[in-house]
Coordinates of all heavy atoms in Angstrom, one line a residue:
M17 N -3.1 -0.1 19.5 CA -3.0 -0.8 18.1 C -2.1 0.0 17.2 O -2.4 1.2 17.0 CB -4.4 -1.0 17.5 CG -4.5 -1.8 16.3 SD -6.0 -1.5 15.3 CE -5.6 -0.1 14.5
T18 N -1.2 -0.6 16.4 CA -0.5 0.2 15.5 C -1.0 -0.1 14.2 O -1.2 -1.2 13.7 CB 1.0 -0.3 15.5 OG1 1.5 -0.5 16.7 CG2 1.8 0.6 14.7
R19 N -1.4 1.1 13.5 CA -1.8 0.9 12.1 C -0.6 0.9 11.2 O 0.4 1.3 11.4 CB -2.7 2.0 11.8 CG -4.0 2.1 12.6 CD -5.1 3.0 11.9 NE -4.5 4.3 11.8 CZ -5.3 5.2 11.1 NH1 -6.4 4.9 10.6 NH2 -4.8 6.5 10.7
K20 N -1.0 0.4 10.0 CA 0.1 0.3 8.9 C -0.2 1.4 7.9 O -1.4 1.6 7.5 CB 0.2 -1.1 8.2 CG 0.5 -2.2 9.2 CD 2.0 -2.3 9.4 CE 2.3 -3.3 10.4 NZ 3.8 -3.5 10.6
V21 N 0.7 1.9 7.2 CA 0.6 2.9 6.3 C 1.2 2.5 4.9 O 2.4 2.2 4.9 CB 1.2 4.2 6.7 CG1 1.1 5.3 5.5 CG2 0.7 4.6 7.9
A22 N 0.5 2.6 3.8 CA 1.1 2.4 2.5 C 1.0 3.7 1.8 O 0.0 4.3 1.6 CB 0.2 1.4 1.7
D23 N 2.2 4.1 1.5 CA 2.4 5.5 0.9 C 2.7 5.3 -0.6 O 3.7 4.7 -0.8 CB 3.6 6.2 1.7 CG 3.5 7.7 1.1 OD1 3.1 8.1 0.1 OD2 4.2 8.6 1.9
C24 N 1.9 5.7 -1.3 CA 2.0 5.4 -2.8 C 3.1 6.1 -3.3 O 3.8 5.8 -4.5 CB 0.7 5.9 -3.6 SG 0.4 4.7 -5.0
R25 N 3.6 7.2 -2.8 CA 4.9 7.8 -3.2 C 6.0 6.9 -3.1 O 7.0 7.2 -3.8 CB 5.2 9.0 -2.5 CG 4.0 10.1 -2.7 CD 4.1 11.4 -1.9 NE 4.0 11.0 -0.5 CZ 4.0 11.8 0.6 NH1 4.2 13.0 0.3 NH2 3.8 11.4 1.8
K26 N 5.9 6.0 -2.2 CA 7.1 5.0 -2.2 C 7.1 3.9 -3.2 O 8.0 3.2 -3.2 CB 7.1 4.3 -0.7 CG 7.3 5.4 0.3 CD 8.1 4.9 1.5 CE 8.5 6.0 2.5 NZ 7.4 6.6 3.1
F27 N 5.9 3.8 -3.9 CA 5.7 2.9 -4.8 C 6.2 3.3 -6.2 O 5.8 4.4 -6.6 CB 4.3 2.4 -5.0 CG 4.0 0.9 -5.2 CD1 4.1 0.0 -4.3 CD2 3.7 0.6 -6.5 CE1 4.0 -1.4 -4.6 CE2 3.4 -0.6 -6.9 CZ 3.6 -1.6 -5.9
P28 N 7.1 2.6 -6.8 CA 7.4 3.0 -8.3 C 6.4 3.3 -9.1 O 5.6 2.3 -9.4 CB 8.4 1.9 -8.7 CG 8.7 1.0 -7.6 CD 7.5 1.3 -6.6
S29 N 6.2 4.5 -9.6 CA 5.1 4.9 -10.6 C 5.5 6.0 -11.3 O 6.1 6.8 -10.8 CB 3.8 4.9 -9.9 OG 3.6 6.3 -9.4
E30 N 5.0 6.2 -12.5 CA 5.2 7.5 -13.3 C 4.2 8.4 -13.1 O 4.2 9.6 -13.6 CB 5.5 7.2 -14.8 CG 6.6 6.5 -15.0 CD 6.7 5.1 -15.2 OE1 5.7 4.5 -15.9 OE2 7.4 4.4 -14.5
T31 N 3.1 8.1 -12.4 CA 1.9 9.1 -12.2 C 2.1 10.1 -11.1 O 1.4 11.0 -11.1 CB 0.6 8.2 -12.1 OG1 0.9 7.6 -10.8 CG2 0.4 7.3 -13.2
G32 N 3.1 10.0 -10.2 CA 3.3 10.9 -9.3 C 2.2 10.9 -8.2 O 1.8 11.8 -7.6
C33 N 1.6 9.7 -8.1 CA 0.4 9.5 -7.1 C 0.9 9.7 -5.7 O 2.0 9.3 -5.3 CB 0.0 8.0 -7.3 SG -1.5 7.6 -6.2
T34 N 0.1 10.4 -4.9 CA 0.4 10.7 -3.4 C -0.6 10.1 -2.5 O -0.5 10.6 -1.3 CB 0.3 12.3 -3.3 OG1 -1.0 12.8 -3.5 CG2 1.3 13.1 -4.3
L35 N -1.3 9.1 -3.0 CA -2.2 8.5 -2.1 C -1.7 7.7 -0.9 O -0.6 7.2 -1.1 CB -3.0 7.5 -2.8 CG -4.2 6.7 -2.0 CD1 -5.3 7.7 -1.8 CD2 -4.7 5.6 -2.7
T36 N -2.2 8.0 0.4 CA -1.8 7.2 1.5 C -2.9 6.4 2.0 O -4.0 7.0 2.1 CB -1.2 8.2 2.5 OG1 0.0 8.8 2.0 CG2 -0.7 7.5 3.7
I37 N -2.7 5.2 2.3 CA -3.6 4.3 2.8 C -3.3 4.0 4.2 O -2.1 3.4 4.3 CB -3.9 3.1 1.9 CG1 -4.3 3.6 0.6 CG2 -5.0 2.2 2.6 CD1 -4.3 2.4 -0.5
A38 N -4.1 4.1 5.3 CA -3.8 3.5 6.6 C -4.8 2.7 7.2 O -6.1 2.9 7.0 CB -3.5 4.8 7.4
G39 N -4.4 1.8 8.0 CA -5.3 1.0 8.6 C -4.5 -0.4 9.0 O -3.4 -0.3 9.2
E40 N -5.5 -1.3 9.4 CA -4.7 -2.6 9.8 C -4.1 -3.3 8.6 O -4.6 -3.1 7.4 CB -5.7 -3.6 10.4 CG -6.2 -3.1 11.8 CD -7.1 -4.1 12.6 OE1 -6.9 -5.3 12.4 OE2 -8.1 -3.6 13.1
E41 N -3.1 -4.0 8.9 CA -2.3 -4.6 7.7 C -3.3 -5.2 6.7 O -3.0 -5.0 5.4 CB -1.2 -5.5 8.2 CG -0.4 -6.1 7.1 CD 0.9 -6.8 7.6 OE1 1.3 -6.6 8.8 OE2 1.4 -7.4 6.8
D42 N -4.1 -6.0 7.0 CA -5.0 -6.8 6.1 C -5.7 -5.8 5.1 O -5.9 -5.8 3.9 CB -5.9 -7.8 6.8 CG -5.1 -9.0 7.1 OD1 -4.1 -9.2 6.9 OD2 -6.0 -9.8 7.9
E43 N -6.4 -4.7 5.9 CA -7.0 -3.7 5.2 C -6.3 -2.9 4.1 O -6.7 -2.7 3.1 CB -7.6 -2.9 6.3 CG -8.8 -3.4 7.2 CD -9.1 -2.5 8.3 OE1 -8.2 -1.6 8.6 OE2 -10.1 -2.7 8.9
V44 N -5.1 -2.5 4.7 CA -4.2 -1.8 3.9 C -3.7 -2.6 2.7 O -3.7 -2.0 1.6 CB -3.0 -1.2 4.6 CG1 -1.9 -0.4 3.7 CG2 -3.5 -0.3 5.8
L45 N -3.5 -3.8 2.9 CA -3.0 -4.6 1.8 C -4.0 -4.8 0.7 O -3.8 -4.8 -0.5 CB -2.6 -6.0 2.4 CG -1.4 -6.8 1.8 CD1 -0.2 -5.9 1.6 CD2 -1.1 -8.1 2.7
R46 N -5.3 -5.0 1.2 CA -6.4 -5.2 0.3 C -6.7 -4.0 -0.4 O -6.7 -3.9 -1.8 CB -7.6 -5.6 1.1 CG -8.6 -6.3 0.2 CD -9.9 -6.7 1.1 NE -9.5 -7.5 2.2 CZ -9.9 -7.2 3.4 NH1 -10.6 -6.2 3.7 NH2 -9.4 -7.8 4.5
A47 N -6.7 -2.9 0.2 CA -7.0 -1.5 -0.4 C -5.9 -1.1 -1.4 O -6.2 -0.5 -2.5 CB -7.2 -0.5 0.5
A48 N -4.7 -1.3 -1.0 CA -3.5 -0.9 -1.8 C -3.4 -1.8 -3.0 O -3.0 -1.3 -4.1 CB -2.2 -1.0 -0.9
T49 N -3.8 -3.0 -2.8 CA -3.8 -3.9 -4.0 C -4.8 -3.4 -5.0 O -4.5 -3.3 -6.2 CB -4.0 -5.3 -3.6 OG1 -2.9 -5.7 -2.6 CG2 -3.9 -6.3 -4.8
D50 N -6.0 -3.2 -4.6 CA -7.2 -2.7 -5.3 C -6.5 -1.4 -6.2 O -6.8 -1.2 -7.4 CB -8.3 -2.5 -4.7 CG -9.1 -3.7 -4.3 OD1 -8.8 -4.7 -4.7 OD2 -10.2 -3.5 -3.6
H51 N -6.0 -0.5 -5.3 CA -5.5 0.7 -5.9 C -4.5 0.6 -7.0 O -4.6 1.2 -8.0 CB -5.1 1.7 -4.7 CG -4.3 2.9 -5.3 ND1 -5.1 4.0 -5.7 CD2 -3.0 3.1 -5.3 CE1 -4.2 4.9 -6.1 NE2 -3.0 4.5 -5.8
A52 N -3.6 -0.3 -6.7 CA -2.5 -0.6 -7.7 C -3.0 -1.1 -9.0 O -2.5 -0.9 -10.1 CB -1.4 -1.6 -7.1
V53 N -4.0 -2.0 -8.9 CA -4.6 -2.7 -10.0 C -5.5 -1.6 -10.8 O -5.3 -1.5 -12.1 CB -5.5 -3.9 -9.6 CG1 -6.4 -4.4 -10.8 CG2 -4.6 -4.9 -9.0
S54 N -6.4 -0.9 -10.1 CA -7.4 -0.1 -10.9 C -6.8 1.1 -11.2 O -7.0 1.8 -12.3 CB -8.5 0.2 -9.8 OG -8.3 1.0 -8.7
V55 N -5.8 1.8 -10.5 CA -5.2 3.2 -10.8 C -4.0 3.0 -11.5 O -3.8 3.7 -12.6 CB -5.1 3.9 -9.6 CG1 -4.4 5.4 -9.9 CG2 -6.4 4.2 -8.8
H56 N -3.1 2.1 -11.1 CA -1.8 2.0 -11.8 C -1.7 0.8 -12.8 O -0.7 0.8 -13.3 CB -0.7 1.8 -10.7 CG -0.7 3.0 -9.8 ND1 -0.1 4.2 -10.1 CD2 -1.1 3.2 -8.5 CE1 -0.3 5.0 -9.0 NE2 -0.8 4.4 -8.1
G57 N -2.8 0.1 -13.0 CA -2.7 -0.9 -14.1 C -1.8 -2.1 -13.8 O -1.3 -2.8 -14.9
H58 N -1.5 -2.3 -12.5 CA -0.7 -3.5 -12.2 C -1.6 -4.9 -12.4 O -2.7 -4.7 -12.0 CB -0.1 -3.5 -10.8 CG 0.9 -2.4 -10.7 ND1 2.2 -2.6 -11.1 CD2 1.0 -1.1 -10.1 CE1 3.0 -1.6 -10.9 NE2 2.1 -0.6 -10.3
A59 N -1.0 -5.9 -12.6 CA -1.8 -7.1 -12.6 C -1.7 -7.7 -11.1 O -0.7 -7.7 -10.5 CB -1.0 -8.2 -13.5
E60 N -2.9 -8.1 -10.7 CA -3.1 -8.6 -9.3 C -2.3 -9.9 -9.3 O -2.6 -10.8 -10.1 CB -4.4 -8.8 -9.0 CG -4.6 -9.0 -7.4 CD -6.0 -9.0 -7.0 OE1 -6.9 -8.6 -7.7 OE2 -6.2 -9.3 -5.8
S61 N -1.4 -10.2 -8.4 CA -0.7 -11.3 -8.3 C 0.0 -11.4 -6.9 O 0.0 -10.4 -6.2 CB 0.5 -11.3 -9.2 OG 1.4 -10.4 -8.9
P62 N 0.3 -12.5 -6.5 CA 1.0 -12.8 -5.0 C 2.2 -11.8 -4.9 O 2.6 -11.3 -4.0 CB 1.4 -14.1 -5.0 CG 0.4 -14.9 -6.0 CD 0.2 -13.9 -7.1
E63 N 2.9 -11.7 -6.1 CA 4.2 -10.8 -6.1 C 3.8 -9.4 -5.9 O 4.5 -8.7 -5.3 CB 4.9 -10.9 -7.6 CG 5.5 -12.2 -7.8 CD 4.5 -13.4 -8.0 OE1 3.4 -13.1 -8.6 OE2 4.9 -14.5 -7.9
L64 N 2.6 -8.8 -6.6 CA 2.3 -7.5 -6.2 C 2.0 -7.3 -4.7 O 2.5 -6.2 -4.2 CB 1.0 -7.2 -7.1 CG 0.4 -5.8 -6.9 CD1 1.4 -4.6 -7.3 CD2 -0.8 -5.6 -7.7
R65 N 1.2 -8.2 -4.1 CA 1.0 -8.1 -2.7 C 2.2 -8.1 -2.0 O 2.2 -7.4 -1.0 CB 0.1 -9.3 -2.2 CG -1.4 -8.9 -1.9 CD -2.3 -10.0 -1.5 NE -2.4 -10.9 -2.5 CZ -3.4 -10.8 -3.4 NH1 -4.4 -10.0 -3.2 NH2 -3.7 -11.8 -4.2
E66 N 3.3 -8.9 -2.3 CA 4.5 -8.9 -1.6 C 5.2 -7.6 -1.7 O 5.7 -7.0 -0.8 CB 5.4 -10.1 -1.9 CG 4.9 -11.4 -1.4 CD 4.8 -11.4 0.1 OE1 5.7 -11.0 0.7 OE2 3.6 -11.7 0.5
Q67 N 5.1 -7.0 -2.9 CA 5.7 -5.8 -3.1 C 5.1 -4.7 -2.4 O 5.8 -3.8 -1.8 CB 5.6 -5.4 -4.6 CG 6.8 -4.9 -5.3 CD 6.5 -4.5 -6.7 OE1 5.7 -5.1 -7.4 NE2 7.2 -3.5 -7.3
I68 N 3.7 -4.7 -2.2 CA 3.1 -3.7 -1.3 C 3.4 -3.9 0.1 O 3.6 -3.0 0.8 CB 1.6 -3.8 -1.6 CG1 1.3 -3.4 -3.1 CG2 0.8 -3.0 -0.6 CD1 -0.1 -3.6 -3.5
R69 N 3.3 -5.2 0.4 CA 3.8 -5.5 1.9 C 5.1 -4.9 2.3 O 5.4 -4.4 3.4 CB 3.7 -7.0 2.1 CG 3.6 -7.4 3.6 CD 3.9 -8.8 3.8 NE 3.0 -9.8 3.2 CZ 1.9 -10.1 3.7 NH1 1.5 -9.6 4.8 NH2 0.9 -11.0 3.1
G70 N 5.9 -4.9 1.2 CA 7.4 -4.4 1.4 C 7.5 -2.9 1.6 O 8.5 -2.5 2.3
I71 N 6.4 -2.2 1.2 CA 6.6 -0.7 1.5 C 5.7 -0.2 2.7 O 5.6 0.9 3.1 CB 6.1 0.1 0.3 CG1 4.6 -0.1 -0.1 CG2 7.0 -0.2 -1.1 CD1 3.9 1.0 -0.8
L72 N 5.0 -1.2 3.3 CA 4.1 -0.8 4.5 C 5.1 -0.4 5.6 O 6.1 -1.0 5.9 CB 3.3 -2.1 5.0 CG 2.2 -2.6 4.1 CD1 1.4 -3.7 4.8 CD2 1.4 -1.5 3.7
E73 N 4.6 0.8 6.2 CA 5.4 1.2 7.4 C 4.4 1.5 8.6 O 3.1 1.5 8.4 CB 6.0 2.7 7.0 CG 7.1 2.5 6.0 CD 7.6 4.0 5.7 OE1 7.0 5.0 6.1 OE2 8.8 4.0 5.3
E74 N 4.9 1.4 9.8 CA 4.1 1.5 10.9 C 3.7 3.0 10.9 O 4.5 4.0 10.8 CB 4.8 1.1 12.2 CG 5.1 -0.4 12.3 CD 5.2 -0.9 13.7 OE1 5.5 0.0 14.5 OE2 5.2 -2.1 13.8
E75 N 2.4 3.3 11.4 CA 2.0 4.7 11.4 C 2.7 5.3 12.6 O 2.6 4.8 13.7 CB 0.6 4.7 11.5 CG -0.1 6.1 11.6 CD -1.6 6.1 11.7 OE1 -2.1 5.5 12.7 OE2 -2.3 6.7 10.8
K76 N 3.2 6.4 12.4 CA 3.9 7.2 13.6 C 2.7 8.0 14.3 O 2.1 8.7 13.7 CB 5.0 8.1 13.1 CG 6.2 7.3 12.3 CD 7.1 8.2 11.9 CE 8.0 7.5 10.9 NZ 7.3 7.1 9.7
A77 N 2.7 7.9 15.5 CA 1.8 8.6 16.3 C 2.1 10.2 16.3 O 3.3 10.6 16.5 CB 1.9 8.1 17.9
G78 N 1.0 10.8 16.1 CA 1.2 12.2 16.2 C 1.7 13.0 14.9 O 1.9 14.2 14.9
T79 N 1.6 12.4 13.9 CA 2.0 12.8 12.6 C 0.8 13.1 11.7 O -0.1 12.2 11.8 CB 3.1 12.0 11.8 OG1 2.6 10.7 11.7 CG2 4.4 12.2 12.5
Ligands
ZN23 ZN1 -1.2 5.3 -6.3

């Protein structure tokens, strides 16, 4: 199984957040959306979810 990784450093923000969330795509999307809303003050919307989906990467084995 390949996990997906959402690296907050790839998300435009002024806070210099370094959080990385890894897991199955649905889990990462949910957690990253919560994080973007609660920590970065984004408004929850389909657009936000699409933006987050756009920065998801496959987790590289052994890193
Ligand atoms: Zn963050």
